[in-house]
Amino acid sequence: MKKILALMLVLVLAIGLFGCGGGDTAGEDTGDAGDAGDEAVTIGFATCNMNDTFQTYIVDAATAKATELGYTLDVQDAQEDVVKQQDQVNAMISQGVDAIVVVPVDTSAMGPITDAVTEAGIPLVYVNRNPFGTDTPPEGVYYVGSQEIVAGRLQGEYLIELMGEEGGVGILMGLLTNEGAVKRTEGNEEILSQYEGIEILAKEAGDWQYDKAMAITENWITAYGDDLNAVLANNDGMAIGATQALDAAGRDDVIVMGVDAIPDAVNMVAEGTLDATVLQDADGQGSGGIEVVSKVLSGDTPEPITWIDFVLVTPENVADFQ
Amino acid sequence: MAEDTKKIKDNKEKSERDEKIERYIELLKKYGIIVALILLVVVISVAEPKFLSPKNLFNVLAQSAIYGIMALGLTFVIISKGIDLSVGSLLAFAGIVAASLGQVSTATTKYFPSLGELPVLVPILAALIIGALLGAVNGGLIAFTGIPAFIATLGMMTIARGFTLMYTGGKPVSQLIPGIKFLGDKIGPIPIPVIIYGLMIFITWILLNHTSFGKNIYAIGGNIKAAEVSGVNVKKNLVMIYAFAGLTCGVAALVFAGRVGSVHPGAALGYELTAIAATTIGGTSHTGGIGTVWGAVVGALILSVLRNGLTLLGVQAYWQQIVEGVIIIVAVIIDMRKNAKKK
């Protein structure tokens, strides 16, 4: 019995450590909130998942911005559990925070959170994942994020620049249930369909996976041979898988691009083994969310939606991202 | 009189013909899965002759190697009437640890910066040991606590994926030493993953058909109580079965690292289902006691021929998943009828 109790205690502690990992650093800067006036401003930040590397970049950027402005950031991690996220936001409301920033666990399930926060008269900023689709957020609610479709467009436009207006293209899609996969592919097609000489040979789902993308690319090389001039991947992992397959087949003539600008991909762009990747600007989104809060708190009315641009990473500008 | 003899002769011929047909049907049932594979190959190569090029055929084999190797371990598990849902996660964890021990010294994001470059044997052993060890934990849980294999390995699936994420902080481990990349390379036209796969098939076949361990696996799956009564050390054998399944994950992890040139924490997500599908299509029965090594190989080949073929033919991504699902269900229906008749 004692052992079980001890084990439970350890588990609880571990969860506590994980859950508040991000919050602790922010918490230390509470006391001397300088520029924000005499009253210390506390912002509740409900992230969707601290195990997701990209999300930790957003939290880090938001923390840095909040510190700079003299705000206290209370970070809560929902671990991809939508109910937990609701509970955390409700706790923030009762706690009386000055503003709430949410990275939605599930964009289709944010209704209750939006209602609860606006009812309490607290400004609400959604970041990274857009719960409103094509609608405009209600009053007092804001969204800061990037348009996935733009990443696809950037790839397409750069491909035209590199390849010209003729050639065969394969598109490696992510999980078909993810908005990122669908929209990035749409962005590719939107640009490429404008050119008669360009044919989309195939679109296949590599499910974000390196090795699946590699197998698909191997099969494309067999199927289309020299007609395959470019591979556009919805993420860097699949782009890296494609370059492996192309390397093995001795096809260094094929243009390959990814999305995400993970360190490996950035290095490959610098080496010239990958033609380009697209950076989703986590820093811009994290600090952008806090900037919107700061505008609202100082009495301004910011735009309901702030778009943070994707950045195309090519051999010309890759040094800035290393 | 003459008419009578004719009748008798006719009847005899008829029954001979029936017998022949029945024999064919028996053969077809036994080797139906191979017939299905050949049919699939014929149809695809008629529609797209490029399919039969040696290079493409080697591609198909290499592409089936990763889940094919895992399907070999699962064959043991499923024959013993168990299941292992953790194989994809075990691959990821074994792979990520091996990769972290097998980075070049100049790697930009080096996991162990002070380690320099280790001989390739270190990451290889690490992958095999981690795979086998976590597999043995699965087997131990099932044998000594009596919890169902589904639950034990479901837990391990989550735990091993958690370890993988914690170990890497969610980041991929890349820039591997040539020794690891060699495992994904080619000797002449033959991909090394195919050679490794061949070796594993041979080892698995020997274990299952020519050792007492193999006999025990069938005995445990056929009737666990009877096996126990007849003196089979069930607990020890269960641990060995799952340890072997884990070991195959370690081998598959090395092939993965070699082929892809890096390992990411999301590696092999959902591969347990592909490997289970390959084993199932190959006729290994989930009711236990029935299954073969070649079945698992043919099952894995059917899946990779299908994926390769549908890509060559330019079939939409959505359809590939649907076709795969239908084939799994049809395979199990055929299998159940076959086994029901036997009983």
Side-chain angles (χ1 to χ4, degrees):
Chain A
M1 196 60 204
K2 248 186 195 168
K3 269 187 191 162
I4 294 174
L5 272 177
L7 188 70
M8 278 173 69
L9 195 66
V10 169
L11 273 176
V12 169
L13 280 176
I15 292 166
L17 279 176
F18 271 111
C20 313
D24 282 350
T25 42
E28 283 160 17
D29 305 300
T30 27
D32 46 15
D35 325 332
D38 297 332
E39 264 178 76
V41 172
T42 304
I43 304 171
F45 192 106
T47 177
C48 56
N49 186 2
M50 292 285 274
N51 282 331
D52 179 340
T53 318
F54 182 78
Q55 293 301 336
T56 61
Y57 292 146
I58 293 183
V59 174
D60 289 350
T63 309
K65 190 77 197 173
T67 310
E68 183 194 320
L69 296 173
Y71 299 154
T72 302
L73 203 65
D74 171 21
V75 181
Q76 295 293 327
D77 177 10
Q79 293 163 328
E80 298 292 355
D81 181 340
V82 73
V83 178
K84 193 184 242 173
Q85 187 159 57
Q86 267 186 35
D87 294 346
Q88 287 171 342
V89 171
N90 283 327
M92 288 172 183
I93 295 172
S94 2
Q95 199 186 319
V97 295
D98 300 284
I100 294 177
V101 181
V102 178
V103 180
V105 166
D106 179 351
T107 48
S108 62
M110 287 300 112
I113 289 182
T114 308
D115 292 348
V117 178
T118 45
E119 230 164 74
I122 298 173
L124 172 64
V125 182
Y126 286 109
V127 168
N128 184 235
R129 301 176 180 176
N130 187 356
F132 304 109
T134 50
D135 300 340
T136 313
E139 216 185 313
V141 184
Y142 307 88
Y143 173 68
V144 178
S146 302
Q147 278 172 300
E148 297 287 1
I149 197 165
V150 175
R153 283 185 199 143
L154 285 173
Q155 284 183 324
E157 282 159 3
Y158 190 56
L159 178 63
I160 302 295
E161 212 178 305
L162 290 184
M163 186 176 73
E165 299 182 6
E166 239 171 68
V169 184
I171 300 177
L172 287 167
M173 300 184 288
L175 271 177
L176 295 174
T177 45
N178 288 167
E179 195 205 3
V182 176
K183 289 288 174 191
R184 288 171 193 178
T185 307
E186 251 179 61
N188 290 156
E189 289 173 320
E190 193 186 297
I191 301 296
L192 299 181
S193 63
Q194 295 167 14
Y195 300 89
E196 264 181 29
I198 289 184
E199 192 189 350
I200 296 176
L201 299 169
K203 292 189 294 178
E204 279 205 51
D207 300 346
W208 308 121
Q209 301 277 339
Y210 290 53
D211 59 321
K212 275 192 187 165
M214 187 179 173
I216 292 170
T217 309
E218 284 170 349
N219 297 343
W220 282 348
I221 296 169
T222 312
Y224 306 112
D226 291 337
D227 293 340
L228 181 70
N229 305 114
V231 174
L232 299 183
N234 284 172
N235 79 338
D236 281 338
M238 293 193 294
I240 292 171
T243 59
Q244 292 280 337
L246 291 162
D247 275 356
R251 289 290 305 272
D252 54 2
D253 58 304
V254 178
I255 298 166
V256 184
M257 298 184 202
V259 178
D260 284 345
I262 63 172
D264 284 338
V266 172
N267 286 333
M268 286 171 74
V269 172
E271 286 166 10
T273 42
L274 189 69
D275 294 278
T277 177
V278 181
L279 172 78
Q280 176 161 205
D281 190 353
D283 287 356
Q285 293 189 9
S287 57
I290 302 300
E291 269 165 20
V292 168
V293 168
S294 123
K295 276 185 194 159
V296 175
L297 292 181
S298 61
D300 283 352
T301 25
E303 290 292 312
I305 295 181
T306 311
W307 292 122
I308 305 294
D309 286 339
F310 279 97
V311 189
L312 188 72
V313 181
T314 65
E316 285 90 58
N317 66 357
V318 68
D320 303 342
F321 300 94
Q322 275 181 310
Chain B
M1 186 70 194
E3 237 168 49
D4 271 359
T5 31
K6 202 181 168 226
K7 230 180 196 170
I8 291 170
K9 209 177 157 197
D10 268 4
N11 272 346
K12 207 175 161 195
E13 255 173 22
K14 209 177 171 192
S15 72
E16 248 172 32
R17 210 173 54 219
D18 280 356
E19 224 171 75
K20 238 181 196 170
I21 291 173
E22 212 152 272
R23 252 205 331 263
Y24 277 131
I25 291 175
E26 273 308 304
L27 273 177
L28 200 68
K29 271 183 186 159
K30 196 167 175 196
Y31 297 108
I33 194 74
I34 291 185
V35 176
L37 176 61
I38 292 170
L39 267 177
L40 200 62
V41 168
V42 169
V43 170
I44 291 171
S45 38
V46 168
E48 176 53 86
K50 279 176 194 158
F51 176 82
L52 281 182
S53 72
K55 210 169 154 193
N56 188 55
L57 291 179
F58 276 127
N59 269 343
V60 171
L61 286 172
Q63 286 164 12
S64 71
I66 293 173
Y67 50 86
I69 290 171
M70 293 198 288
L72 294 173
L74 268 165
T75 302
F76 284 14
V77 170
I78 295 176
I79 291 176
S80 78
K81 214 175 172 177
I83 191 77
D84 192 343
L85 298 177
S86 69
V87 290
S89 299
L90 292 195
L91 187 158
F93 189 48
I96 215 99
V97 174
S100 70
L101 293 169
Q103 283 183 296
V104 295
S105 53
T106 53
T108 37
T109 42
K110 194 153 166 59
Y111 194 82
F112 296 112
S114 55
L115 216 52
E117 222 168 279
L118 299 171
V120 68
L121 206 61
V122 177
I124 288 180
L125 283 178
L128 300 182
I129 291 171
I130 287 174
L133 215 62
L134 292 184
V137 172
N138 275 336
L141 280 171
I142 295 158
F144 294 104
T145 71
I147 55 175
F150 185 89
I151 304 297
T153 60
L154 180 67
M156 181 58 82
M157 172 173 115
T158 315
I159 292 168
R161 188 66 69 179
F163 272 139
T164 312
L165 283 165
M166 196 163 73
Y167 191 85
T168 57
K171 294 176 188 73
V173 182
S174 59
Q175 294 173 292
L176 307 180
I177 52 176
I180 293 184
K181 284 189 176 168
F182 176 75
L183 299 173
D185 210 345
K186 285 175 186 164
I187 299 180
I190 306 171
I192 291 169
V194 175
I195 297 173
I196 298 174
Y197 188 19
L199 212 66
M200 288 303 292
I201 293 170
F202 181 69
I203 294 171
T204 316
W205 184 79
I206 293 281
L207 281 176
L208 192 60
N209 296 301
H210 294 280
T211 65
S212 55
F213 174 46
K215 280 196 196 90
N216 293 342
I217 297 173
Y218 282 110
I220 291 171
N223 187 334
I224 194 165
K225 290 236 166 72
E228 211 156 18
V229 170
S230 63
V232 174
N233 186 340
V234 171
K235 289 193 165 88
K236 184 181 128 198
N237 277 288
L238 277 176
V239 172
M240 279 165 68
I241 288 167
Y242 285 87
F244 182 76
L247 183 80
T248 60
C249 298
V251 176
L254 291 166
V255 172
F256 186 104
R259 249 172 85 74
V260 179
S262 68
V263 182
H264 60 294
L269 203 67
Y271 275 31
E272 54 279 348
L273 299 179
T274 314
I276 291 170
T279 316
T280 308
I281 292 172
T284 297
S285 169
H286 287 257
T287 52
I290 298 164
T292 55
V293 172
W294 66 259
V297 176
V298 176
L301 274 179
I302 284 183
L303 283 179
S304 72
V305 165
L306 202 68
R307 285 178 181 180
N308 176 278
L310 293 179
T311 304
L312 293 192
L313 298 177
V315 176
Q316 245 193 340
Y318 311 93
W319 277 109
Q320 301 201 7
Q321 300 184 7
I322 295 168
V323 171
E324 255 183 63
V326 170
I327 286 194
I328 293 166
I329 293 172
V330 170
V332 174
I333 292 175
I334 292 173
D335 186 62
M336 275 173 67
R337 300 206 152 186
K338 185 174 82 189
N339 294 328
K341 228 175 189 179
K342 252 182 209 165
K343 277 169 190 169

